[in-house]
Amino acid sequence: MTPIMSALPFCVAAWLFAIGLYGIVTSRNYIHLVGCLGVCQSATYVLLLAVGYRWDSVAPIFYDHPPGTPAVDPVVQALVLTDIVVGATLTALLLVMAIQVQKRRGTLDPEELAPMKEQQAADACKGRVAEPQR
Amino acid sequence: MSLLDAIPSGVLPPLPVAIPLAVCALILMLSKRLHGHMPDILATLTALVASALCMLIATRAAESGPLIYWFGGWTPRDGHAVGIGFQIDAASAWIAAFIGLLYAAAFVFAWGYFTNVHGHFQVLMLLFLAAMTGFCFTRDLFNLFVWFEVMSVAAFALTAYRLEGSALSGALNFTVTNSLAGFMMLGGIGLIYARAGTLDYEGLRLAVAANARDPVVAAAFCLIAVALMIKAAMVPFQFWLADAHAVAPSPVSVIFSGAMVSLGLFGLAKLTWVVFSGSDRILAALSDAMIGLGSLTAILGGVMALRQRHLKRMLAFSTISHAGIMILGIGVLSQAGAGGLLVYLVGHGLVKGALFMVAGILLATRASIDEIGLRGLGRGIEPAGIAMALGGLLLAGLPVGLLDQGTHLMQGALDERGHRVALIATVLGCGLTGAAVLRGAARIFLGWGSVAGDEARAPSEDEQEKADRPLWLMLAPCLFLLALDLAAPAGPVEDLVRNAVPNFLHMSEPQTALPHGIAWLPWLSVAMAFAIAGYDLSRGHLPKVLLKLGSGVQAGPFRLLDAAHSGLIGDYVTWIVVGLALLAGRLALA
């Protein structure tokens, strides 16, 4: 195992996280944004698997290996499984919200959907108060 | 109590988490058969039972040390923890008990609010409660992450509950930013696991102490701390909070502001002391970062609160400000600071919960949440007005009750360590947020302030909540929370800080003499709140020169602040990256 090979997964994880963030920052469509969030999350999968990986060892299933055979770390694999469940929940929830946004506002562009911008303050005022003084 | 006494300590720890989860499943299973108020009754009782169990755990832990429970009997072998455990010290148990009570109050407040949804609201809320309790009790870092995520997912769904335009946008911002927080936390957990080979707090503590100057440990801390600070809405991670709290149904906002945000800080305090305190490098960077960011957050939240007209949005910014004050209690790195944080957390949760209930009462009875639109419309619900004014005074630092005891401890700790700027920031934060609430109360319930200032340009929206709920049923939990804050006895609370906090912090040499705050400081912030609220309300009568001076001071930088709160998710994520880079830079320099 060379140092380059051992550092590579960590670089990949950092890169994935960075491009995911870039995608979220520049996104003009919520479906695309949810995809970018998924890319960010993939970074955590790569990181965790890299942390637990052992060279020249088997999967942590001892059905056809004698106990004590070198195996990769099963703990991080359990973490990744949990992470995948979390990711599925989040993606489902976000997509539901995106569908509802599309239904109600007819657009998926975050720039047009800023919260509480639809009704400007002047309308809500209903003439109860004099104009603000400059 | 005799029934409670019969429960052996060995089985007690998982119950406050397991019971709400079981009732969740039960309500879901029977959702078609539970009619009328059955889900309300079940949920309220469950929250009360969970709270009572936490109190029992707290008293047991105070007598005989923290209660430890290993799931599935996986106790540590040869000092190496294989399983997942709960370790509950008295302070954590009291926090969990407070959260249970807050939920019970929120359930009573929401009585009949959500009748046609087959108890789904109660299911989500109970899931939320179980997650928060688990978050307080766990001693396993990954388990902490799981509760963090369960808490987040329940919160996302509750925010989007109304399924209307702005509720959905607010919920989307909340979901994306807090999901990123979750990923960062997991990344940090992966990194620290790479060094420690365990996820148990005790094992991690040893590993951090052994690798005190290791960049991997520092990076892990950076990611975990940023994740928790996003939850706790520190500058520059605070943007999601105002959007989410303003659009969530008011009983949910009670929980968000009262418990969820401050739990981020609770988690940060626990991890800082229990896991990362072995590394001087991390502690030095952390102290600087928390004191700096906390002071900034306290002032910025206060300024923004004063510039709002949408009441829930204003209360949300005041939560940001007070979260900033609370984080100073971590940054000061002393027992009094951490104790102040915990007391402040409970006091603030009670007061802020009551204030959000007042906002909910206005939404239900007056069908509006706009401070200017509601001017003078508070006649007929005066008790709510009194509650709002009292809440404003308590936020401003009126020296009575639990919140003041927390402020007192915190200011004492800051004064002791010579953090003058942070001390001023606490006064400003209290004064500004108190002024915002007092101004709202006077405008709505007394009809004062016919000429509006800059707040007239703030975003607002017409909104209403289910109307035909009895007023007394909404007022009762609100007044109960305020009464609880006022009635908390000073002596026992101080004893608790002296005895329970060292256990919470895993501190070997507890401080016996707690520093005392400066007695006139709270009065200063109260006076400031009255002065600012008075200035804002009397714009119609003040000489033009004075008004010009005021708006001249406010003009430039404050407009920029308004513009920064753009509601755009892209901007928020950019700020998160900036904050992450700042903290990473500070850690690299240490």
Side-chain angles (χ1 to χ4, degrees):
Chain A
M1 175 180 68
T2 62
I4 294 178
M5 281 304 283
S6 64
L8 187 63
F10 296 98
C11 297
V12 171
W15 180 69
L16 277 176
F17 199 71
I19 56 162
L21 284 178
Y22 175 77
I24 295 174
V25 169
T26 55
S27 180
R28 296 297 298 267
N29 181 305
Y30 269 122
I31 307 290
H32 169 258
L33 196 147
V34 175
C36 294
L37 202 62
V39 173
C40 278
Q41 189 167 26
S42 321
T44 59
Y45 302 156
V46 175
L47 177 76
L48 285 174
L49 290 178
V51 161
Y53 193 74
R54 306 276 178 277
W55 290 86
D56 304 321
S57 47
V58 299
I61 303 165
F62 298 102
Y63 175 70
D64 47 1
H65 297 285
T69 318
V72 300
D73 192 339
V75 172
V76 290
Q77 304 199 341
L79 303 194
V80 171
L81 277 179
T82 316
D83 193 17
I84 290 173
V85 175
V86 169
T89 319
L90 283 177
T91 311
L93 194 66
L94 278 167
L95 290 178
V96 167
M97 286 192 227
I99 290 171
Q100 296 293 337
V101 164
Q102 171 73 32
K103 269 189 190 164
R104 280 167 178 72
R105 307 279 285 273
T107 173
L108 281 173
D109 185 350
E111 305 248 328
E112 289 172 31
L113 289 170
M116 289 213 248
K117 287 288 187 292
E118 68 231 76
Q119 180 161 18
Q120 273 314 309
D123 306 332
C125 211
K126 291 172 194 152
R128 296 188 59 80
V129 180
E131 271 297 294
Q133 293 194 345
R134 290 272 171 186
Chain B
M1 274 317 268
S2 61
L3 184 71
L4 285 178
D5 285 335
I7 308 174
S9 295
V11 300
L12 207 47
L15 289 183
V17 180
I19 291 176
L21 286 178
V23 176
C24 263
L26 190 75
I27 295 181
L28 263 187
M29 209 162 65
L30 302 175
S31 61
K32 296 275 186 305
R33 305 224 183 109
L34 289 176
H35 294 296
H37 290 301
M38 271 310 281
D40 286 329
I41 296 170
L42 262 178
T44 313
L45 284 180
T46 311
L48 283 176
V49 168
S51 178
L53 285 171
C54 291
M55 286 179 203
L56 184 64
I57 293 174
T59 48
R60 298 250 175 110
E63 283 161 16
S64 50
L67 268 59
I68 300 176
Y69 180 88
W70 294 94
F71 285 91
W74 286 86
T75 46
R77 318 261 155 91
D78 310 324
H80 191 82
V82 192
I84 290 171
F86 274 1
Q87 174 163 351
I88 317 172
D89 55 275
S92 304
W94 279 115
I95 296 290
F98 148 71
I99 291 171
L101 266 188
L102 195 65
Y103 270 86
F107 281 130
V108 173
F109 177 74
W111 204 267
Y113 185 148
F114 306 92
T115 42
N116 51 354
V117 291
H118 300 302
H120 288 177
F121 165 74
Q122 284 84 359
V123 169
L124 279 172
M125 287 284 272
L126 286 176
L127 189 64
F128 204 11
L129 168 62
M132 286 187 176
T133 315
F135 188 87
C136 292
F137 286 0
T138 189
R139 59 172 286 170
D140 180 281
L141 195 54
F142 189 71
N143 196 232
L144 185 87
F145 167 77
V146 171
W147 295 124
F148 183 85
E149 285 293 333
V150 173
M151 200 156 88
S152 298
V153 171
F156 302 153
L158 285 166
T159 310
Y161 204 88
R162 282 193 296 134
L163 286 183
E164 282 161 14
S166 63
L168 284 167
S169 323
L172 274 166
N173 285 353
F174 179 25
T175 309
V176 173
T177 46
N178 280 261
S179 306
L180 280 174
F183 302 158
M184 286 185 200
M185 190 162 182
L186 191 61
I189 291 173
L191 287 179
I192 198 158
Y193 181 77
R195 272 296 170 271
T198 176
L199 292 165
D200 189 64
Y201 288 172
E202 288 307 318
L204 289 174
R205 179 191 181 83
L206 296 176
V208 169
N211 300 295
R213 297 201 64 81
D214 189 338
V216 175
V217 172
F221 171 76
C222 182
L223 286 170
I224 294 173
V226 166
L228 290 167
M229 279 157 79
I230 291 177
K231 197 53 133 190
M234 281 304 112
V235 170
F237 313 115
Q238 87 287 16
F239 296 96
W240 65 268
L241 186 139
D243 290 348
H245 288 214
V247 297
S250 47
V252 177
S253 295
V254 169
I255 302 297
F256 279 6
S257 263
M260 184 181 75
V261 170
S262 33
L263 262 193
L265 294 173
F266 173 88
L268 189 57
K270 201 168 197 174
L271 287 182
T272 300
W273 280 95
V274 176
V275 174
F276 291 102
S277 59
S279 164
D280 293 341
R281 176 187 183 176
I282 290 177
L283 281 189
L286 170 136
S287 176
D288 281 4
M290 307 270 156
I291 296 279
L293 291 181
S295 309
L296 195 61
T297 309
I299 297 171
L300 188 132
V303 168
M304 286 302 291
L306 207 55
R307 298 174 65 76
Q308 304 303 318
R309 58 188 284 177
H310 185 283
L311 276 182
K312 282 202 287 182
R313 208 171 148 81
M314 178 234 277
L315 291 175
F317 276 111
S318 98
T319 299
I320 294 176
S321 173
H322 287 271
I325 296 176
M326 281 188 242
I327 208 171
L328 297 174
I330 306 177
V332 72
L333 294 179
S334 73
Q335 183 191 341
L341 160 71
L342 295 177
V343 177
Y344 201 98
L345 189 160
V346 175
H348 170 260
L350 294 170
V351 173
K352 195 53 70 63
L355 283 173
F356 266 107
M357 285 176 184
V358 172
I361 291 172
L362 288 170
L363 273 170
T365 59
R366 295 295 180 265
S368 174
I369 190 73
D370 187 71
E371 180 190 321
I372 297 175
L374 278 169
R375 187 171 78 83
L377 290 183
R379 302 218 165 77
I381 45 171
E382 277 84 5
I386 294 169
M388 188 168 174
L390 181 59
L393 282 175
L394 289 171
L395 280 190
L398 191 70
V400 54
L402 204 56
L403 185 58
D404 171 63
Q405 291 167 38
T407 316
H408 202 68
L409 281 167
M410 197 99 78
Q411 290 181 339
L414 287 170
D415 189 39
E416 185 191 37
R417 300 285 165 105
H419 295 292
R420 283 295 147 83
V421 178
L423 202 58
I424 295 168
T426 61
V427 175
L428 285 176
C430 289
L432 288 166
T433 54
V437 176
L438 286 178
R439 183 189 74 198
R443 191 168 268 157
I444 294 169
F445 293 94
L446 298 175
W448 294 357
S450 58
V451 178
D454 260 0
E455 70 267 20
R457 288 191 209 87
S460 185
E461 189 184 37
D462 264 353
E463 185 186 326
Q464 66 185 75
E465 290 185 348
K466 193 169 181 301
D468 53 346
R469 291 180 287 157
L471 180 63
W472 65 268
L473 201 56
M474 293 190 282
L475 264 175
C478 168
L479 297 178
F480 169 71
L481 292 184
L482 283 176
L484 212 56
D485 178 72
L486 289 177
V493 170
E494 204 173 315
D495 285 346
L496 211 62
V497 170
R498 203 168 288 131
N499 301 323
V501 172
N503 252 329
F504 171 72
L505 302 175
H506 290 217
M507 203 177 222
S508 43
E509 300 143 18
Q511 228 175 330
T512 44
L514 296 173
H516 280 272
I518 304 160
W520 51 268
L521 265 186
W523 289 112
L524 183 65
S525 53
V526 171
M528 194 180 134
F530 272 116
I532 295 175
Y535 172 80
D536 261 1
L537 287 167
S538 50
R539 279 175 195 278
H541 310 289
L542 287 175
K544 285 250 160 59
V545 188
L546 208 57
L547 286 176
K548 266 214 180 104
L549 195 74
S551 63
V553 172
Q554 290 184 355
F558 290 176
R559 298 275 153 76
L560 269 180
L561 267 185
D562 289 345
H565 290 81
S566 58
L568 295 180
I569 186 66
D571 295 0
Y572 295 2
V573 173
T574 314
W575 281 111
I576 290 179
V577 175
V578 170
L580 183 64
L582 276 178
L583 188 62
R586 180 65 191 85
L587 275 164
L589 287 178

